[in-house]
Amino acid sequence: MPFTFEERIKIVEDRIKQACERSGRSRDEVHIIAVTKYVSLDTTKSALEHGFCDLGENRWQDAQEKWEAISAESDTSADRQPVWHFIGSLQSNKAKDVIGKFTYIHSLDRLSLAEAIDKRALQLGITVPCFIQVNVSGENSKQGIAPEELAPFVEKLSRYKSITPIGLMTMAPYEAEPEQTRPVFKALRVLRDEMQMNSEYGNTITQLSMGMSNDFDIAIEEGATWIRLGTILVGKEEE
Ligand SMILES: *Cc1c(COP(=O)(O)O)cnc(C)c1O
C-alpha cells in the first residue's frame, strides 16, 4: 500500500466530509464498516486500534480465525468492542455459525434465509437487525431480491419475530467512472422511502448500506448511512 493507515484514514475522512457537505448531510449520519475480508488478523486489530469498531466480513470460513482471536482478546473497555457485520451472501445452513457472532446481517435476500436466521436467533434469545439486499442494477452476478419483489418480501418478514429489518443494502456494479453508479444508489434510497411510507416496518427500515471503495462518495451523496470500505481503508493483502 502506498500510504500508511493514518494517511488512508485522512483521505477517506476528507472525502466523506466533502460528500456530506456537497449533499447537505451531517457527518454523523455516515458510519464506516471496515471490511477486513482481504486482510490479516494483525491488520484487523490495527483497524480496531484506530477506532474502527464496525468490522465487515463476507465469508464465515475466512472470518472465523479473526473473529475467534479478537473475541477472545476483547477487554471490557467499551470503546474498543468490535461489532461484526456479515456482508456476504449467506447460505441458510451457515446461519447457525454466524448468528450470535455477527450483530448485523447485510445480505438478507430470501425467505429461506430469514427462516434460518429466525430459528437460530430464537434459540439464542436475540433479535437480529438485518438489511435486505436488493439487486437494483439487475446484474446476474449480484445477489439480492428484485426491486419489485421488495414490498411483498417485507410483508412476509413479519412472520419472523426474531428479525428486525433495519434498512436496505445494495452493491453497485464496478464503474471506471463512479458517477455512473448514482442511479443505483438513488433507486435504493427511493425504495427505502417507499418502505417507510407503506410498510409496517416504516419506523425500522431507515438505514442504507451502500458504497464501497470505488463509489462511496456518490453513495453518501445519495443517502448512505453505512459505507463498506475494504481496499481504500484497510488495504488488500496478497496471501
Ligand atoms: C468486499 C466488499 C466490500 C468492500 O470492497 P472494497 O471495494 O474493497 O471497498 C463491500 N461490500 C461488500 C458486500 C463486499 O463484499
Side-chain angles (χ1 to χ4, degrees), residues 33-38 56-58 86-89 106-107 133 169-171 174 209 211-216 227-236:
I33 297 169
V35 176
T36 51
K37 69 183 187 196
Y38 303 124
E57 286 279 341
N58 70 338
F86 197 85
I87 62 173
S89 67
H106 289 246
S107 48
Q133 184 167 358
M169 181 276 217
T170 202
M171 285 173 82
Y174 178 86
S209 168
M212 307 175 21
S213 291
N214 188 51
D215 51 24
F216 68 93
I227 55 175
R228 308 179 307 265
L229 302 180
T231 323
I232 199 170
L233 181 67
V234 292
K236 192 170 187 169

Side-chain angles (χ1 to χ4, degrees), residues 171-223:
M171 285 173 82
Y174 178 86
E175 300 283 357
E177 177 43 70
E179 180 60 35
Q180 304 278 330
T181 60
R182 190 179 298 279
V184 171
F185 297 138
K186 185 175 284 189
L188 196 71
R189 170 162 50 84
V190 169
L191 284 169
R192 191 268 321 262
D193 295 347
E194 285 170 9
M195 289 302 108
Q196 289 196 303
M197 281 185 297
N198 301 329
S199 89
E200 67 179 286
Y201 290 113
N203 294 328
T204 68
I205 299 186
T206 56
Q207 308 288 314
L208 289 173
S209 168
M210 59 187 195
M212 307 175 21
S213 291
N214 188 51
D215 51 24
F216 68 93
D217 321 66
I218 311 290
I220 291 169
E221 288 176 24
E222 294 302 331

